[in-house]
């Protein structure tokens, strides 16, 4: 079984290398030619040393004299071969690197293009960390064997030349060589095969340690408030212990094979000395040739391992390649039509019989489906899902402001995503001015509609770019949008104003500030349809009121949908849609809904009712006069 | 500007260690006893492994001089014996090397695992203040990549450094035995090379730093396409994002290519210097040999020794680079351990609080983030046991700071906080964290099932107990609407649940622990009003008999509390029941009027 897997990996790994060569044939040829020069010159340097020993050194020491010409020639030969060898090394290393980096860059581009092309539903099925690692570590692993590949090819040339040189020198020397070198190559092959699963395991455990640390530090506040430091440290120590054992296991294999691989050529040299001396005695060889062969053994011992390096990298490369190809093969692109929607002013939005289910991202055992990332996830059986929308109909005339109200988990956010075609419904349709979203050309929906989520995403860029997003707005336009979003004041206070860098490497903003920047981004586009999905939840109520006021005053010629709990927001709407358990339960003016919809009334008047009940209760207590002392009693007890 | 930004500007971050590499090494070693245990024996094996590398040149010399070129012609018997001895020596060397390797790996990895765990624990022991001044990623690096860097160095570079240094030494000794003149010559060639290598190494190190920076940017750009997937689509900025990613990919590739050019150049320079040294040794050796000062065998063996001498130098730049990175990593880890936890556990001497409702008292408490103005000024408040308190005020008025001081996530910069008459700083953490629990606004969840997350607050809670707690909190309907009930996986960071649902889990998690003082910091800000009111009712019933402090900008919470404490610009400006406060002119009446206006049509 194990050997079959290995031969399969070998086959697939080599196919991957073949593809790489097909993609970069010119650079690859240059690298291989340079490597061949290096290989030949390595053998050449041993040959030169042997010749110099035989023709210059030994005669000079035997005869007690030499000529400058001979010495100069010897030195020149040695240096010349070294220079050629160096040129070979430079070419080999440089072009091998160039090839590897080009392939990595090209596949990273392809992978991210896929990320941008694939529908949002696909993203929902894959954890963020996995996608980042597909574009980074997996692409890197995929092309790992490219770096030593030209060297390995040069080594093949080196071995052929060395073999011929040894045959020409002496058949017995050649026999020693033909025993020792294949033995080194074979042992190294076994070495890499035993090392590679251990190295892969260590790599995986490193990722695991990192995940534990990430999660634990992200939740540091919770760990602290619940006093779980010791338990968390134990969890981490277990993970770190597993990594330690894996690293030691890698070390044990290395520790065993490295000395063996070093001893082998040395034993070869000793064998050469033993057999060579007999051959010199027999007169079929000279001492110079002996030196040359011995020297060749010491020179070849190291590069010959390159063959093993390529083989050793293959399993990792195949795994990386599989993951990358799974992304590249993923289908389910968003199909666009070619309809374009011109026009100005609020758009007419309709939705007919929208149904939508989320595929469960988890399988029964609690394992994430994304874990089986070796399988092409589009071939995966569709898992039972949770239906969140059961046939939603909606008709919003141009310029209307509609509030969407519903309890936590009623499907509001999903509905909003469907309305701007972030996700396609399982059935039903959405139209803007009578045109089906799916019939519209690429980029048409974003040109008309802007959706602001509760979770504001901030780009790693300046304030200006975060608002303009490449639209080349004037500063005045950006400020105008910031003003409507009530973000102008704090942006002015930032050290670089509009040029302040936000995001990862920039200023960190509070939740409310982030939401306001995201809001400004939507407003700046002057959309014909503006959807606010609880987009001001982290903003102080007073500030939110100002934002909504500004929004209305700004006279944005748009249709507005707003998901909200706050009464003031709801009150501003022309109409309210009450959503519960994936169905529109009722719609109408706020007043009308209050009268006829129980669920709606309970939801939006929850605070009021709580307050009036409490007041009633307190009045009762006041009348009673006795219960007031209750807290004092408790105090006395304490 | 946000509080977070202020904290970052104010510093108070992790310590930076400034000391020599040797001092770092010494301190690093001392922290993990595994490193030092049995080091002497390991070094002995290392010596054996290194000395063994001289076997081949000696064999060549002996065979040439005494076996082939001896006075009596070729002496095959001697050669056989010499080869045999040398073979035994080679095998002994390999054994030494094996033992050295295994011992080194075991002690190094053992020590690093200890270091990692120590640093991890220390990060959790640091105060919230210090934790927040560092980016999360940076803290994670301290216990992952920084330690990995040391580990990688130990597995490859450190080993080479040890063996190579030994090799340079023993080779020099043997070369000097064969010919001191030629040894001087070889050294003369290599000293300039050593300087050149040092220079190359600096360039290389800069080039690698550049690559690392570019990788950071690359990951940032790619993550925009992944994390920002929804926004990118909603705004149709796919092309712009693709262009940014392409830019980052190209910049990274460029940096890689530059570094590779340097690597290739370094390697070749060593090669050419080696050739120069070899030819110089041959020329000089021949003259010395003619003068009878060196035998042919010794001269040839010398040439083998030159090869042995340069091979450590060929990898020197890479090894030095790794060493530098490892030392830098080590310094960063030590930097974490050097940062004193400014909110520390009094430990076993600490006071254990008795069970039962907690009374607390703030005595002239002030707080300022390092280098900033005070965010809390002269707060003196006493809250009797069993009282339900609501804390209100605008964003930035000091409410959350008040909560953090009460739960000892931070210590006040002025004044004292007492619980049940005991200075909070004297209460053992084990008791403190069990009795006083805070539910922060961000209901952070761990990857696992809903039940796993609840058990975070009480490890031995049974499924029935969790279900009961949820029933008491009126959350059964919600629980039943989940596809897998208590086994529902919440995803990384709880992302499979909505923000409101995460808060519900966080609340249950705190509640099952049965604390005596429950502090809620806007703990229900993201749930819908009906659910919030329901929760509030449930909590009202449940917090009867225990002390609770609720911070909220929804003033329905204040209406329900026994007493309201109103914060404005870091001071307590009002205190009293909702009914009293709402009637008198002041900050509370304003806040309340605004809240009511929000609620009424």
């Amino acid at each position: 079984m194990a050997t079959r897997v290995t031969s399969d990996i070998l086959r697939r790994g080599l196919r991957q290398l073949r593809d790489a060569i097909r993609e970069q044939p010119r650079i690859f040829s240059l690298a291989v030619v340079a490597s061949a020069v290096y290989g030949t010159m390595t053998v050449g340097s041993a040959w030169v040393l042997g010749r110099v020993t035989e023709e210059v050194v030994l005669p000079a020491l035997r005869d007690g004299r030499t000529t400058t010409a001979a010495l100069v020639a010897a030195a020149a030969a040695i240096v010349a071969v070294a220079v050629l060898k160096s040129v070979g090394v430079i070419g080999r290393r440089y072009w091998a690197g160039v090839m590897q980096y080009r392939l990595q860059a090209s596949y990273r581009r392809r992978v991210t293009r896929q990320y941008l092309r694939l529908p949002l539903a696909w993203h929902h099925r894959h954890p963020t960390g996995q996608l980042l690692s597909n574009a980074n570590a997996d692409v890197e692993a995929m092309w790992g064997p490219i770096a030593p590949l030209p060297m390995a090819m040069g080594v093949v040339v080196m071995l052929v030349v060395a073999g011929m040189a040894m045959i020409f020198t002496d058949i017995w020397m050649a026999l020693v060589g033909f025993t020792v070198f294949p033995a080194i190559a074979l042992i190294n092959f076994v070495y890499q095969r035993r090392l590679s699963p251990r190295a892969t395991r260590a790599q995986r455990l490193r990722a695991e340690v990192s995940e534990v640390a990430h999660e634990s530090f992200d939740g540091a506040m919770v760990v602290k408030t619940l006093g779980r430091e010791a338990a968390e440290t134990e969890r981490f120590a277990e993970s770190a212990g597993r990594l330690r054992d894996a690293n030691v296991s890698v070390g044990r294999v290395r520790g065993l094979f490295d000395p063996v691989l070093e001893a082998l050529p040395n034993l070869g040299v000793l064998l050469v000395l033993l057999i060579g001396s007999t051959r010199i005695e027999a007169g079929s060889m000279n001492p110079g040739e002996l030196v040359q062969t011995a020297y060749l053994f010491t020179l070849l011992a190291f590069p010959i391992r390159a063959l093993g390096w390529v083989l050793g990298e293959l399993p990792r490369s195949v795994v990386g390649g599989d993951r990358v190809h799974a992304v590249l093969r993923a289908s389910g692109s968003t199909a666009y039509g070619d309809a374009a929607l011109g026009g100005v002013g609020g758009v007419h939005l309709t939705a007919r019989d929208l149904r939508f289910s989320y595929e469960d991202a988890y399988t029964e055992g609690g394992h994430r489906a994304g874990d089986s990332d070796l399988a092409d996830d589009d071939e995966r059986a569709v898992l039972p899902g949770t239906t969140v929308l059961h046939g939603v109909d909606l008709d919003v005339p141009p310029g209307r402001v509609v509030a969407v109200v519903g309890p936590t988990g009623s499907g509001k956010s999903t509905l909003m995503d469907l309305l701007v075609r972030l996700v396609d419904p399982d059935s039903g349709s959405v139209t803007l001015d009578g045109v089906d979203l799916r019939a519209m050309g690429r980029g048409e929906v974003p040109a008309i509609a802007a959706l602001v989520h509760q979770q504001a995403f901030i780009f790693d860029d300046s304030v200006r770019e975060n608002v303009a997003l490449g639209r080349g707005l004037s500063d005045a336009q950006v400020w105008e949008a910031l003003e409507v979003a009530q973000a102008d004041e704090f942006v002015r206070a930032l050290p670089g104003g509009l040029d302040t860098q936000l995001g990862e490497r920039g200023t960190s903003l509070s939740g409310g500030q982030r939401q306001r920047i995201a809001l400004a981004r939507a407003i700046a586009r002057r959309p014909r349809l503006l959807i606010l999905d609880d987009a001001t939840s982290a903003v102080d109520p007073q500030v939110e009121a100002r934002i909504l006021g500004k929004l209305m005053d700004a006279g944005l010629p748009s249709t507005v949908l707003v998901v909200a709990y706050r009464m003031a927001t709801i009150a501003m709407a022309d109409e309210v849609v009450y959503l519960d358990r994936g169905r529109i339960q009722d719609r109408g003016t706020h007043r009308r809904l209050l009268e006829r919809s129980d669920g709606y009334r309970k939801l939006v008047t929850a605070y009021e009712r709580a307050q009036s009940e409490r007041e009633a209760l307190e009045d009762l207590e006041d009348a009673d006069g006795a219960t007031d002392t209750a807290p004092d009693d408790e105090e006395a007890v304490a | 500007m946000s509080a977070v930004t202020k904290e970052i500007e104010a510093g108070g971050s992790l310590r930076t260690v400034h000391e020599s590499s040797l001092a770092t090494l010494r301190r690093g070693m001392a922290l993990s006893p595994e490193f030092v245990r049995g080091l002497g024996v390991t070094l002995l094996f290392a010596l054996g492994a290194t000395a063994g590398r001289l076997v081949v040149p000696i064999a060549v010399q002996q065979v040439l001089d005494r076996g082939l070129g001896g006075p009596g012609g070729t002496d095959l018997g001697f050669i056989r014996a010499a080869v045999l001895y040398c073979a035994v020596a080679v095998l002994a060397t390999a054994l030494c090397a094996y033992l050295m390797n295994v011992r080194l790996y075991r002690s190094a990895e053992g020590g690093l695992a200890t270091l990692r765990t120590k640093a991890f624990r220390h990060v959790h022991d640091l105060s919230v203040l210090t934790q927040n001044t560092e980016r999360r990623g940076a803290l994670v690096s301290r216990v992952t990549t920084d330690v990995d860097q040391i580990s990688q160095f130990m597995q490859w570079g450190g080993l080479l450094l040890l063996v190579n240094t030994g090799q340079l030494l023993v080779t020099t000794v043997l070369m000097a035995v064969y010919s001191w003149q030629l040894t001087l010559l070889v050294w003369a060639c290599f000293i300039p090379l050593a300087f050149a290598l040092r220079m190359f190494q600096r360039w290389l190190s800069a080039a690698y730093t550049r690559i690392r920076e570019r990788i950071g940017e690359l990951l940032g750009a790619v993550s925009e396409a992944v994390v920002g997937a929804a926004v990118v689509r909603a705004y149709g900025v796919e092309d712009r994002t693709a262009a940014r990613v392409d830019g980052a990919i190209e910049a990274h590739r460029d940096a890689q290519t530059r570094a590779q050019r340097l690597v290739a150049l370094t390697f070749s320079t060593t090669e050419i210097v080696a050739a120069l040294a070899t030819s110089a040794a041959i020329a000089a050796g021949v003259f010395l040999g003619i003068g009878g000062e060196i035998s042919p065998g010794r001269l040839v063996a010398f040439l083998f020794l030159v090869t042995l001498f340069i091979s450590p130098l060929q990898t020197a730049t890479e090894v030095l680079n790794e060493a530098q990175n490892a030392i830098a990593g080590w310094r960063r880890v030590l930097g974490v351990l050097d940062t004193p936890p400014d909110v520390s556990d009094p430990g076993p001497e600490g006071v254990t609080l008795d069970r039962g409702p907690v009374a607390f008292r703030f005595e002239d408490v002030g707080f300022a983030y390092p280098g900033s103005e005070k965010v809390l000024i002269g707060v003196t408040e006493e809250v009797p046991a069993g009282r339900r308190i609501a804390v209100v005020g605008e964003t930035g008025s000091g409410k959350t700071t008040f909560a953090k001081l009460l739960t000892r996530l931070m210590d006040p910069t002025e004044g004292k906080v007492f619980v049940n008459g005991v200075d909070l700083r004297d209460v053992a953490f084990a008791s403190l964290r069990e009795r006083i629990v805070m539910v922060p606004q961000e209901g952070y969840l761990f990857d696992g099932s809903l039940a796993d997350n609840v058990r975070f607050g009480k490890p031995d809670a049974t499924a029935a107990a969790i279900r009961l707690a949820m029933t008491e909190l009126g959350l059964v309907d919600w629980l039943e609407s989940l596809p897998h009930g208590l086994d529902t996986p919440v995803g990384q960071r709880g992302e499979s649940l909505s923000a409101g649902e995460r808060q519900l889990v966080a609340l249950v998690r705190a509640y099952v622990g049965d604390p005596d003082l429950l502090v809620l910091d806007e703990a229900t800000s993201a749930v819908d009003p009906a659910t919030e009111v329901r929760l509030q009712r449930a909590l009202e019933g449940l917090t009867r008999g225990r002390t609770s402090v609720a911070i909220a900008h929804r003033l329905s919470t204040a209406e329900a509390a026994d007493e309201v404490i109103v914060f404005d610009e870091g001071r307590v400006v009002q205190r009293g029941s909702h009914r009293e406060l709402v009637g008198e002119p002041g900050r509370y009446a304003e806040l309340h009027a605004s809240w009511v206006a929000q609620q009424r049509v």
Side-chain angles (χ1 to χ4, degrees), chain B residues 115-373:
Chain B
L115 182 70
R116 230 189 257 275
T117 310
K118 267 189 188 158
F120 178 88
R121 174 65 204 233
H122 200 84
V123 167
H124 274 307
D125 286 342
L126 294 173
S127 71
V128 173
L129 189 58
T130 318
Q131 284 172 349
N132 287 346
T133 50
E134 288 294 315
R135 285 225 313 268
R136 285 287 182 269
L139 288 176
V140 173
S141 299
R142 295 301 93 87
V143 298
T144 56
T145 45
D146 285 340
V147 180
D148 289 337
Q149 223 151 34
I150 312 174
S151 161
Q152 261 158 32
F153 172 70
M154 296 276 192
Q155 293 252 348
W156 182 75
L159 204 68
L160 274 185
L161 193 65
L162 188 68
V163 171
N164 284 353
T165 315
Q167 191 167 322
L168 281 180
L169 286 175
V170 294
T171 313
T172 305
V173 170
L174 188 63
M175 286 198 301
V177 168
Y178 286 162
S179 163
W180 62 267
Q181 298 96 326
L182 291 187
T183 309
L184 283 182
L185 189 72
V186 170
W187 270 93
C189 289
F190 283 114
I191 284 168
L193 178 66
F195 281 108
L197 287 179
R198 180 78 187 121
M199 193 174 67
F200 279 136
Q201 190 256 326
R202 268 192 215 115
W203 291 347
L204 206 59
S205 158
Y208 283 146
T209 308
R210 223 183 151 72
I211 292 182
R212 273 197 295 276
E213 285 165 9
R214 295 285 175 273
I215 287 181
E217 283 160 26
L218 173 72
L219 281 176
V222 174
S223 74
E224 278 188 2
V226 175
V227 183
V231 178
V232 166
R233 278 162 187 73
Y235 289 83
V237 288
E238 286 92 344
D239 293 342
R240 178 175 178 274
T241 311
R244 279 160 66 94
V245 171
D246 284 357
I249 288 175
E250 277 313 299
H252 175 233
R253 190 175 71 90
D254 215 52
Q256 281 179 309
T257 312
R258 270 166 208 275
Q260 188 66 3
R261 222 176 278 161
L262 263 176
V263 169
L265 199 67
T266 310
F267 200 81
S268 312
T269 310
T270 337
E271 191 74 41
I272 289 174
V273 172
L276 287 175
T278 309
S279 28
I282 285 175
V286 165
F287 281 117
L288 287 172
I290 290 171
E293 292 203 34
I294 188 167
S295 68
R298 288 185 166 207
L299 181 53
V300 172
F302 202 93
L303 301 181
F304 276 78
L305 286 172
V306 172
T307 320
L308 263 187
F309 190 84
I310 60 148
S311 72
L313 294 166
Q314 272 178 336
T315 47
T317 49
E318 302 269 350
V319 170
L320 286 179
N321 230 338
E322 274 208 13
Q324 212 174 39
N325 289 341
I327 292 282
W330 218 335
R331 253 182 220 151
R332 284 192 293 268
V333 180
L334 290 178
V336 168
L337 292 169
D338 284 348
T339 309
D342 42 5
V343 176
S344 58
D345 187 356
E349 293 104 72
V351 177
T352 302
L353 297 172
D354 297 327
R355 281 236 61 138
V358 169
F360 67 87
R361 180 157 48 95
F362 274 57
E363 229 177 63
D364 202 21
V365 168
F367 185 83
Y369 288 103
S372 305
E373 283 173 27

Side-chain angles (χ1 to χ4, degrees), chain A residues 275-588:
Chain A
I275 297 173
S277 311
T278 327
R279 302 295 293 162
I280 291 172
E281 169 91 293
S284 48
M285 228 177 107
N286 62 44
E289 286 168 335
L290 181 71
V291 170
Q292 173 195 328
T293 313
Y295 195 67
L296 196 58
F297 270 65
T298 57
L299 283 187
L300 257 57
F302 187 71
I304 209 166
R305 297 196 198 175
L307 293 171
W309 295 338
V310 174
L311 293 172
E313 287 278 341
L314 280 187
R316 232 162 61 83
S317 158
V318 168
V319 171
D322 282 346
R323 290 184 185 157
V324 168
H325 281 301
V327 173
L328 295 183
R329 268 200 312 271
S331 55
S333 68
T334 315
Y336 294 102
D338 48 16
L341 212 61
V344 287
V347 78
H348 183 186
L349 169 76
T350 69
R352 266 198 39 244
D353 198 27
L354 290 179
R355 283 165 201 279
F356 188 81
S357 303
Y358 275 110
E359 196 178 300
D360 269 359
Y362 294 85
T363 50
E364 276 301 323
H367 294 292
R368 197 171 303 118
D371 279 352
S372 60
D373 46 13
L374 288 188
D376 188 346
D377 64 326
D378 291 297
E379 292 162 12
R380 226 174 51 213
V382 176
L383 296 162
T386 313
T387 306
V388 283
L389 294 178
H390 309 263
V392 169
D393 290 290
L394 202 63
D395 183 29
V396 185
R400 198 66 76 87
V401 178
V402 173
V404 179
V405 180
T408 306
S410 56
K412 301 181 298 282
S413 291
T414 307
L415 178 60
M416 299 304 122
D417 284 354
L418 290 176
L419 294 181
V420 295
R421 211 189 170 200
L422 281 183
V423 181
D424 277 332
D426 298 341
S427 67
S429 65
V430 179
T431 67
L432 292 178
D433 279 353
V435 182
D436 192 309
L437 292 187
R438 281 168 294 203
M440 291 168 76
R442 202 188 138 191
E444 276 299 311
V445 179
I448 294 164
L451 165 64
V452 190
H453 283 109
Q454 186 203 35
Q455 203 78 41
F457 182 81
I458 298 296
F459 290 88
D460 189 5
D461 211 327
S462 64
V463 175
R464 180 186 288 106
E465 270 306 297
N466 260 291
V467 174
L469 279 188
R471 289 201 139 199
L473 302 180
S474 71
D475 281 11
Q477 285 169 308
V478 173
W479 280 119
E480 197 186 332
L482 288 170
E483 205 181 311
V484 175
Q486 295 289 303
D488 53 330
E489 216 169 290
F490 78 81
V491 169
R492 253 183 260 277
L494 290 175
L498 285 186
D499 294 311
T500 311
Q501 287 291 317
L502 303 176
E504 263 288 285
R505 270 170 292 282
T507 311
S508 43
L509 302 176
S510 71
Q513 289 170 333
R514 293 164 67 92
Q515 285 191 333
R516 282 179 270 170
I517 295 280
L519 189 61
R521 180 189 296 157
I523 293 164
R525 314 194 129 217
R526 310 195 72 79
R528 297 182 59 202
L529 171 63
L530 177 64
I531 302 184
L532 307 177
D533 183 2
D534 210 4
T536 48
S537 60
V539 177
D540 272 349
Q542 297 87 333
V543 178
E544 190 194 33
R546 284 205 293 275
I547 292 174
L548 292 171
K550 280 268 183 191
L551 208 54
M552 299 303 147
D553 291 349
L556 278 182
S558 52
T559 308
V560 179
L561 256 72
V562 49
V563 173
Y565 295 132
R566 290 178 185 165
M567 279 291 240
T569 319
I570 297 171
M572 247 176 257
D574 301 317
E575 195 183 12
V576 178
V577 170
Y578 174 51
L579 192 71
D580 190 16
R581 289 168 200 255
R583 290 194 174 83
I584 291 189
Q585 307 290 350
D586 207 344
R587 55 177 300 178

Side-chain angles (χ1 to χ4, degrees), chain A residues 53 57-58 60-61 64 66 71 75 78-79 82 85-86 89-90 93-94 101-102 104-105 108-109 112-113 115-116 118 123 128 132 206 210 213-220 222 224 227-228 230 232-233 236-237 243-244 247 251 254-256 259 262 266 270 274 277 295 360 362 364 368 407-408 422 442 446 451 457 459-461 465 469-470 504 508 521-522 525 540-542 545 565-568 590 603 606-608 611 613-614 618 622 635 638, chain B residues 2 4-5 53 56 59 79-80 86-87 94 98 101 105 109-110 116-117 120-121 123-124 126 128 131 135-136 139-140 143-144 148 155 223-224 226-228 230-231 233-236 238-240 242 244-246 249-250 252-253 256 260-261 263 267-268 271-272 275 279 282 286-287 290 296 299 304 307 384-385 387 395 409 433 444 446-447 456 459 484 489 491 493 496 509 528-530 532-533 537 554 556 559-560 579 594-595 598-601:
Chain A
T53 308
V57 177
L58 294 181
L61 266 58
T66 188
L71 286 179
I78 289 172
V79 172
K85 185 178 166 189
S86 294
V89 169
I90 291 179
R93 287 209 159 196
Y94 178 70
Y101 306 148
R102 278 193 185 183
Q104 284 174 359
R108 282 190 175 126
R109 268 196 299 272
T112 34
R113 284 291 186 288
Y115 291 167
L116 291 170
L118 287 164
H123 280 267
T128 309
L132 288 181
R206 249 196 294 284
S210 166
H214 240 293
E215 189 181 56
S216 192
F217 291 170
D218 271 346
V222 174
K224 220 179 246 308
R228 296 273 291 177
E232 283 295 285
T233 306
F236 182 80
L243 173 59
R244 175 200 57 215
N247 275 338
R254 278 200 187 151
L256 175 66
E262 204 179 294
N266 287 344
L270 294 176
L274 186 69
S277 311
Y295 195 67
D360 269 359
Y362 294 85
E364 276 301 323
R368 197 171 303 118
T408 306
L422 281 183
R442 202 188 138 191
L451 165 64
F457 182 81
F459 290 88
D460 189 5
D461 211 327
E465 270 306 297
L469 279 188
E504 263 288 285
S508 43
R521 180 189 296 157
R525 314 194 129 217
D540 272 349
Q542 297 87 333
Y565 295 132
R566 290 178 185 165
M567 279 291 240
H590 169 66
L603 186 67
Y607 296 136
E608 263 178 277
Q611 193 190 357
E613 279 170 28
R614 195 170 298 110
E618 280 169 7
D622 283 352
E635 219 171 296
Chain B
S2 73
V4 177
T5 321
R53 301 208 161 165
V56 164
I79 292 176
R80 272 191 209 109
C86 287
Y98 169 71
N101 285 347
Y105 288 141
E109 289 301 328
R116 230 189 257 275
T117 310
F120 178 88
R121 174 65 204 233
V123 167
H124 274 307
L126 294 173
V128 173
Q131 284 172 349
R135 285 225 313 268
R136 285 287 182 269
L139 288 176
V140 173
V143 298
T144 56
D148 289 337
Q155 293 252 348
S223 74
E224 278 188 2
V226 175
V227 183
V231 178
R233 278 162 187 73
Y235 289 83
E238 286 92 344
D239 293 342
R240 178 175 178 274
R244 279 160 66 94
V245 171
D246 284 357
I249 288 175
E250 277 313 299
H252 175 233
R253 190 175 71 90
Q256 281 179 309
Q260 188 66 3
R261 222 176 278 161
V263 169
F267 200 81
S268 312
E271 191 74 41
I272 289 174
S279 28
I282 285 175
V286 165
F287 281 117
I290 290 171
L299 181 53
F304 276 78
T307 320
R387 197 64 66 90
T395 304
L409 290 176
R433 300 294 179 217
Y444 185 89
F446 291 79
D447 194 3
F456 211 78
H484 306 288
R493 295 174 190 77
S496 298
R509 173 169 66 191
D528 68 70
E532 192 184 25
V533 166
R537 284 246 174 82
R554 287 181 180 175
S556 57
E559 290 166 1
R579 286 220 287 173
S594 147
W595 154 253
Q598 288 274 312
Q599 296 313 311
R600 301 261 152 82
V601 182

Side-chain angles (χ1 to χ4, degrees), chain B residues 288-494:
Chain B
L288 287 172
I290 290 171
E293 292 203 34
I294 188 167
S295 68
R298 288 185 166 207
L299 181 53
V300 172
F302 202 93
L303 301 181
F304 276 78
L305 286 172
V306 172
T307 320
L308 263 187
F309 190 84
I310 60 148
S311 72
L313 294 166
Q314 272 178 336
T315 47
T317 49
E318 302 269 350
V319 170
L320 286 179
N321 230 338
E322 274 208 13
Q324 212 174 39
N325 289 341
I327 292 282
W330 218 335
R331 253 182 220 151
R332 284 192 293 268
V333 180
L334 290 178
V336 168
L337 292 169
D338 284 348
T339 309
D342 42 5
V343 176
S344 58
D345 187 356
E349 293 104 72
V351 177
T352 302
L353 297 172
D354 297 327
R355 281 236 61 138
V358 169
F360 67 87
R361 180 157 48 95
F362 274 57
E363 229 177 63
D364 202 21
V365 168
F367 185 83
Y369 288 103
S372 305
E373 283 173 27
K374 283 193 202 167
V375 290
L376 217 57
I377 306 154
V379 174
T380 303
E381 292 297 329
E382 180 154 9
V383 172
R387 197 64 66 90
R388 284 164 306 162
I389 302 287
V391 175
V392 302
E394 281 196 325
T395 304
S397 58
K399 292 175 301 195
T400 296
T401 308
F402 178 76
K404 284 182 178 167
L405 295 179
L406 175 57
T407 48
R408 212 182 163 213
L409 290 176
M410 306 187 301
D411 279 334
T413 41
E414 288 164 19
K416 280 179 180 171
V417 180
F418 296 93
V419 285
N420 290 350
V422 181
D423 189 331
L424 200 52
R425 275 175 285 212
D426 297 332
V427 179
F429 269 21
S431 169
L432 175 75
R433 300 294 179 217
E434 191 188 68
R435 305 285 313 285
I436 302 180
V437 168
M438 168 161 136
V439 185
Q441 184 177 15
E442 273 304 315
Y444 185 89
L445 302 186
F446 291 79
D447 194 3
S449 72
L450 201 153
D452 292 341
N453 274 285
V454 174
R455 287 202 184 95
F456 211 78
K458 195 181 184 212
D460 55 355
T462 61
I466 296 172
R467 218 171 275 280
L468 178 68
M470 294 184 80
T471 313
E472 287 174 348
L473 287 170
L475 295 173
V476 168
D477 281 354
W478 171 66
L479 179 64
E480 277 166 5
S481 76
L482 294 171
H484 306 288
L486 282 180
D487 295 325
T488 304
V490 302
Q492 291 179 351
R493 295 174 190 77

Side-chain angles (χ1 to χ4, degrees), chain B residues 5-27:
Chain B
T5 321
K6 257 185 259 159
E7 285 174 27
I8 285 172
E9 282 175 353
S13 51
L14 298 177
R15 289 284 165 87
T16 321
V17 179
H18 299 284
E19 60 187 7
S20 72
S21 305
L22 215 62
T24 304
L25 209 66
R26 206 175 304 129
R27 255 161 28 92

